[in-house]
Amino acid sequence: MATTEECHSIQLIDGDGLFNDVGTDRLIKEIKLAECGLSYAVVAIMGPQSSGKSTLLNHLFCTNFREMDAFKGRSQTTKGIWMAKCAGIEPCTLVMDLEGTDGRERGEDDTAFEKQSALFALAVSDIVLINMWCHDIGREQAANKPLLKTVFQVMMRLFSPRKTTLMFVIRDKTRTPLENLEPVLREDIQKIWDSVPKPQAHKETPLSEFFNLEVVALSSYEEKEEQFKEQVANLRQRFFHSIAPGGLAGDRRGVVPASGFSFSAQQIWKVIKENKDLDLPAHKVMVATVRCEEIANEKYAGFTANESWCLLEEAVQSGPVAGFGKKLNSILYTSLTEYDAEATYFDEGVRSAKRKQLEEKLLQLVQPAHHAMLGHLRSGTLEKFKEAFDKALNGGDGFSVAARNCTEAYMALFDEGYADAVVELANWDSSKVRDKLRRDIDAHVASVRAAKLSELTSSYEAKLNEALSGPVEALLDGANNDTWPSIKKLLRRETESAVSGLSDALSGFDMDEKTKEKMLTSLEDHARGVVEAKAREEAGRALIRMKDRFSTLFSHDSDSMPRVWTGKEDIRAITKTARSASLKLLSVMAAIRLDDNADNIENTLTSALVDTKNNAAVTDRSITTFDPLASSTWEQVPPAKTLITPVQCKSLWRQFRVETEYTVTQAISAQEANKRTNNWLPPPWAIVALIVLGFNEFMTLLRNPLYVGVIFVGFLIIKALWVQLDISGEFRNGALPGLLSLSTKFLPTVMNLLRKLAEEGQMPATNSSQTNQAVASKSFQNGSSTSNMSSSASSGITASENSPKKGE
């Protein structure tokens, strides 16, 4: 029978019982059996040695099993178990050629290997061909009887045996019709089945539960070759679509998927060789477990090496990836779909369990990338929120409105991003990442809110500082009865303005009334604190302020012009007025008066420090009376509102009087000196006497002009000596010191004048007139200066002389 398909065959199990796993795997790859799933069939043939099994298979399935050479005698041809792919039959069909039974070559091992190979064929095959001679039918001691017993006995070792089709192939059929042979054969088979010991569970189990029986007859290959080939060709047609419903193996059970056939066969043979009972359901689960795990490992390795996954994993480490979830889901579904396709025919429980494990391993592998994606999504959303929030605030939106709108918008943006990154296979909870983002947003909002509130508060506090510090300082500097009322008015006005502005600004923050009221109260307290701090600062400079005020009032008149002590001023009254004003300043700065509480600080200071009559009375008393300033607190003034204590006021006043005493003394001295300077002319009666008594001398001078010239020259000489000797300056320190000083300077000065006159006389006549004019001009200037110095010295001396008198 011709076919274009190449035949592949291997020795599956050698004569020593060794399983050829390498060759089996190679054959399965060559014929691509793994792609068949459950769409494949396995056919085995067993029978006596040299009964034509290999010949039948070669003609029936176009295989190339080795056949016996009849001319060399009857001997063992097939050793162990051989396997090949049937050529030209759909679905893919594997055929196994078992070593013949009753062979003399194996000897005593024949029975053991016969049972092992029979059990292997029943466990693996869907259809088992039993080759038997026609003349053995109906005979009690026929060669097929031990073979059938062996088949049925080993069947009992299968806990849940497959339903196998037993096709009895009657060889070298005689003239007896098949219709007559088949009932006899079936009767013999039933007898053998009934005689085989069975487990308790299968005592009443009919033969049909385990086997489908088919009987075919073939003519002798040697005598009727053409008829034999025709009958084999007809029989071959029955193997097409053998596993379809109604086919030879249409009701088979417990089929192992094609990809697990090699491993399954190897494990079955291992159990049979170890002479253990073969539990086919457990074996099916074991094969499914191994193969599904192998497939899962292959898909896991393929996933890790997948270029798309590697690129995606690398990209997500550096930043968010658009369409991350869609890309990752596609790669995951591809791997799982491939697993499902390859493991679809294995045990459902095992397949599902291994798929679950593969899914968990893949999810565990991709979870870090997913977490990284969520991290980028969270951080990116947070940064976008910050930018949008700042922009909204800068755009004039209210804080609460901006915070609420931006939070809702960017939480929704995160949800959209998460939906794009979700892994559909995983039931991962994103609430933790979402909650973390919400906490970060809330923390940022709280931080910005605190900063904005602090900025607002600082801004209004700075405005209050600017609005209060300068005016309060000016008001305290000009201390009077209206100082503290003016400060209170100023404080109230500026505080109300600042509180109103802050209240309007806080309306956009959507805060509760209690918090808002607390902030406004804090601002009011700050304003009050600014005033109190400034008052304390100015109180620390009270002495300086008092001296400045005293100096201003004492040294300047009502028009703010500097006083000239001409002798007409009442220094005592001016001093008292200036000191009273300084004391007023001290009383104003002694305590903070922002409340409406009255005090008697000014009266106390006035009575204790200015009222000289009371002071004198106290001094004259022989017993000591109570000092109102001998205390560290003021009456009706809390310590917290006290700026300068009574004791400190007394000390400041004492220091003030000491430091201003000199100014008063200087004024008195200047006044007395001015008086002496203005009294250089003689009394009017003396002037009249001089005119009357000196009339003759005056007329003599008029009659003799030479005398006038001599007197004029003498006046010039005396004036020059007056200037050169600085007589008025010398007598400023007293008469005796002045005379002693002039006595030492008189002669040198006269010599100096004579030398200058001599030098002037030696100059050329052309320059004499110019020189005389220059000398006269210089003398005139010196005379004017000397006159001023003389006036000053005179005032000093007068002051010196009058001071002791005043002391007296």
Side-chain angles (χ1 to χ4, degrees):
M1 186 174 296
T3 179
T4 59
E5 187 175 352
E6 182 181 356
C7 178
H8 302 273
S9 64
I10 60 164
Q11 188 178 26
L12 182 64
I13 300 172
D14 64 11
D16 297 327
L18 297 177
F19 191 91
N20 183 11
D21 54 342
V22 177
T24 304
D25 291 339
R26 183 174 64 251
L27 173 65
I28 288 174
K29 288 181 180 179
E30 289 176 355
I31 65 177
K32 299 180 180 179
L33 180 66
E35 300 177 2
C36 296
L38 297 179
S39 183
Y40 76 103
V42 181
V43 179
I45 189 168
M46 60 177 66
Q49 180 175 301
S50 302
S51 60
K53 299 186 298 299
S54 300
T55 302
L56 174 60
L57 293 180
N58 289 339
H59 285 82
L60 184 60
F61 298 115
C62 300
T63 55
N64 57 1
F65 292 122
R66 182 184 174 189
E67 301 178 8
M68 183 190 72
D69 189 350
F71 294 100
K72 293 183 179 180
R74 305 183 70 83
S75 62
Q76 187 181 51
T77 304
T78 303
K79 292 183 179 181
I81 301 175
W82 287 72
M83 184 174 69
K85 178 181 181 295
C86 300
I89 293 181
E90 291 294 335
C92 178
T93 301
L94 299 177
V95 61
M96 293 190 298
D97 188 6
L98 274 66
E99 181 180 316
T101 60
D102 298 331
R104 63 182 178 82
E105 288 82 3
R106 192 171 285 279
E108 294 180 358
D109 293 336
D110 176 66
T111 303
F113 188 80
E114 177 183 330
K115 290 183 178 182
Q116 290 174 351
S117 59
L119 180 58
F120 179 77
L122 288 174
V124 172
S125 303
D126 301 306
I127 304 171
V128 177
L129 303 179
I130 298 178
N131 207 35
M132 60 184 303
W133 302 110
C134 180
H135 54 74
D136 285 338
I137 297 176
R139 295 171 55 187
E140 185 65 27
Q141 301 297 326
N144 64 334
K145 292 291 183 68
L147 177 61
L148 288 175
K149 286 183 179 180
T150 298
V151 170
F152 293 153
Q153 285 174 356
V154 298
M155 180 61 71
M156 294 300 101
R157 295 179 60 187
L158 302 177
F159 292 146
S160 180
R162 299 156 54 97
K163 189 166 186 180
T164 307
T165 298
L166 295 180
M167 178 175 281
F168 290 88
V169 181
I170 302 173
R171 303 293 297 274
D172 296 347
K173 176 181 173 297
T174 61
R175 293 182 179 180
T176 305
L178 180 61
E179 292 80 4
N180 296 334
L181 295 176
E182 185 174 350
V184 176
L185 179 59
R186 287 181 178 275
E187 183 180 354
D188 290 342
I189 293 173
Q190 186 63 46
K191 288 181 179 179
I192 296 173
W193 172 254
D194 294 338
S195 65
V196 172
K198 304 178 188 65
Q200 188 65 31
H202 297 296
K203 283 287 186 182
E204 304 298 330
T205 303
L207 179 64
S208 60
E209 181 69 20
F210 295 106
F211 299 105
N212 292 321
L213 298 181
E214 296 285 342
V215 179
V216 296
L218 299 176
S219 300
S220 172
Y221 174 69
E222 294 179 354
E223 297 176 1
K224 302 177 180 179
E225 182 177 354
E226 293 300 326
Q227 189 177 359
F228 173 83
K229 290 181 178 180
E230 183 180 351
Q231 292 171 346
V232 168
N234 292 332
L235 179 60
R236 175 183 172 87
Q237 296 303 316
R238 299 186 63 183
F239 286 92
F240 281 90
H241 307 293
S242 59
I243 62 175
L248 288 176
D251 56 350
R252 63 179 181 170
R253 297 191 297 259
V255 183
V256 176
S259 62
F261 175 79
S262 174
F263 178 76
S264 174
Q266 183 178 355
Q267 293 300 315
I268 288 174
W269 181 248
K270 179 180 179 182
V271 172
I272 292 173
K273 286 289 290 180
E274 293 174 354
N275 199 26
K276 297 179 181 179
D277 291 339
L278 186 60
D279 187 351
L280 285 185
H283 172 76
K284 180 182 178 183
V285 171
M286 183 269 293
V287 173
T289 301
V290 174
R291 276 299 300 146
C292 288
E293 187 167 352
E294 289 178 353
I295 296 171
N297 290 337
E298 290 174 4
K299 300 310 167 189
Y300 181 81
F303 182 91
T304 57
N306 186 286
E307 183 178 1
S308 298
W309 158 245
C310 293
L311 293 175
L312 185 63
E313 183 182 29
E314 182 180 358
V316 80
Q317 299 303 321
S318 57
V321 178
F324 176 84
K326 183 177 180 181
K327 295 176 181 177
L328 183 56
N329 288 326
S330 175
I331 303 172
L332 287 171
Y333 280 128
T334 299
S335 297
L336 292 175
T337 302
E338 292 175 356
Y339 169 86
D340 292 337
E342 295 187 28
T344 185
Y345 301 113
F346 289 102
D347 181 81
E348 182 179 359
V350 175
R351 181 179 74 244
S352 299
K354 294 300 178 181
R355 188 185 193 278
K356 185 67 175 178
Q357 293 178 7
L358 173 61
E359 185 178 314
E360 290 174 354
K361 287 177 65 178
L362 291 176
L363 292 178
Q364 187 176 4
L365 176 65
V366 304
Q367 191 172 27
H370 184 257
H371 284 173
M373 178 63 190
L374 292 186
H376 293 312
L377 183 61
R378 182 188 63 80
S379 59
T381 304
L382 181 60
E383 291 303 318
K384 292 178 181 177
F385 169 82
K386 291 179 180 180
E387 293 177 5
F389 187 46
D390 291 342
K391 186 176 180 180
L393 292 178
N394 294 332
D397 292 349
F399 185 90
S400 298
V401 174
R404 182 170 56 255
N405 293 342
C406 290
T407 299
E408 292 175 356
Y410 284 90
M411 289 304 297
L413 180 64
F414 173 82
D415 293 338
E416 292 177 6
Y418 178 77
D420 183 61
V422 70
V423 179
E424 296 174 356
L425 293 173
N427 190 23
W428 291 330
D429 186 9
S430 67
S431 60
K432 291 183 178 180
V433 180
R434 194 179 191 279
D435 292 344
K436 178 66 166 61
L437 173 62
R438 185 57 186 262
R439 289 195 301 272
D440 291 343
I441 288 177
D442 291 343
H444 180 71
V445 170
S447 175
V448 174
R449 185 176 189 270
K452 290 292 183 182
L453 290 177
S454 177
E455 182 180 345
L456 272 176
T457 305
S458 299
S459 173
Y460 280 97
E461 287 178 354
K463 291 179 180 178
L464 283 173
N465 289 342
E466 183 178 356
L468 293 175
S469 295
V472 168
E473 181 178 354
L475 289 171
L476 289 174
D477 186 38
N480 53 45
N481 292 331
D482 295 331
T483 295
W484 282 108
S486 299
I487 291 176
K488 285 193 291 183
K489 183 178 180 181
L490 172 68
L491 174 62
R492 187 182 307 109
R493 184 180 69 250
E494 296 298 335
T495 301
E496 289 176 354
S497 175
V499 167
S500 176
L502 180 60
S503 178
D504 293 341
L506 292 179
S507 61
F509 285 85
D510 194 20
M511 61 173 57
D512 58 277
E513 289 298 324
K514 186 177 180 180
T515 304
K516 182 177 180 180
E517 188 64 28
K518 184 178 179 181
M519 292 188 65
L520 297 178
T521 303
S522 176
L523 184 63
E524 292 175 354
D525 293 341
H526 175 78
R528 191 181 184 96
V530 170
V531 173
E532 292 182 358
K534 196 63 182 177
R536 294 184 187 280
E537 179 184 345
E538 292 301 313
R541 297 197 290 264
L543 180 61
I544 298 174
R545 297 290 189 189
M546 290 167 64
K547 291 193 297 182
D548 290 345
R549 173 167 289 195
F550 177 85
S551 176
T552 300
L553 295 178
F554 186 79
S555 302
H556 295 78
D557 56 21
S558 58
D559 296 329
S560 300
M561 297 298 292
R563 291 185 188 276
V564 179
W565 302 105
T566 61
K568 299 177 182 179
E569 297 82 4
D570 186 355
I571 293 180
R572 180 180 297 276
I574 294 173
T575 301
K576 184 176 181 180
T577 301
R579 285 179 177 173
S580 297
S582 298
L583 186 66
K584 180 66 178 179
L585 187 146
L586 180 61
S587 67
V588 169
M589 289 189 176
I592 297 172
R593 299 177 178 85
L594 294 177
D595 301 321
D596 295 330
N597 300 329
D599 60 68
N600 59 352
I601 294 178
E602 184 176 1
N603 295 334
T604 302
L605 290 175
T606 302
S607 62
L609 301 177
V610 178
D611 196 345
T612 55
K613 294 181 180 181
N614 292 341
N615 290 341
V618 171
T619 303
D620 293 340
R621 292 174 185 174
S622 59
I623 56 174
T624 305
T625 60
F626 174 72
D627 185 357
L629 299 183
S631 174
S632 60
T633 58
W634 298 103
E635 292 182 7
Q636 301 176 348
V637 178
K641 303 299 182 182
T642 301
L643 298 178
I644 307 174
T645 64
V647 174
Q648 291 173 337
C649 285
K650 186 174 182 180
S651 176
L652 286 173
W653 186 255
R654 185 183 298 112
Q655 187 175 355
F656 166 74
R657 286 182 63 96
V658 170
E659 294 184 8
T660 58
E661 192 72 34
Y662 178 75
T663 303
V664 177
T665 303
Q666 286 293 100
I668 294 173
S669 299
Q671 191 178 55
E672 293 180 355
N674 197 331
K675 288 179 180 180
R676 287 195 299 269
T677 302
N678 292 333
N679 292 335
W680 63 274
L681 291 175
W685 61 267
I687 296 174
V688 173
L690 287 175
I691 293 174
V692 173
L693 296 176
F695 180 77
N696 295 331
E697 287 77 5
F698 179 71
M699 294 303 294
T700 303
L701 290 175
L702 290 178
R703 296 189 187 100
N704 298 290
L706 182 61
Y707 290 156
V708 176
V710 172
I711 293 172
F712 180 71
V713 171
F715 170 77
L716 290 178
I717 293 173
I718 293 172
K719 186 65 176 178
L721 289 174
W722 184 279
V723 172
Q724 293 294 324
L725 292 174
D726 191 16
I727 295 176
S728 60
E730 294 295 341
F731 280 95
R732 191 176 297 128
N733 296 323
L736 183 59
L739 291 174
L740 293 175
S741 176
L742 290 175
S743 64
T744 58
K745 294 168 58 177
F746 180 76
L747 187 59
T749 302
V750 172
M751 297 301 294
N752 188 28
L753 287 174
L754 293 175
R755 185 175 65 254
K756 286 184 178 181
L757 289 174
E759 290 175 355
E760 291 294 332
Q762 294 176 359
M763 291 179 64
T766 55
N767 296 332
S768 60
S769 61
Q770 297 178 1
T771 302
N772 290 335
Q773 293 176 1
V775 171
S777 176
K778 184 175 182 181
S779 298
F780 176 76
Q781 294 175 358
N782 289 338
S784 176
S785 175
T786 302
S787 176
N788 291 335
M789 293 178 64
S790 175
S791 176
S792 176
S794 176
S795 299
I797 293 172
T798 305
S800 300
E801 290 177 351
N802 291 339
S803 295
K805 292 179 182 180
K806 182 173 176 59
E808 293 175 359

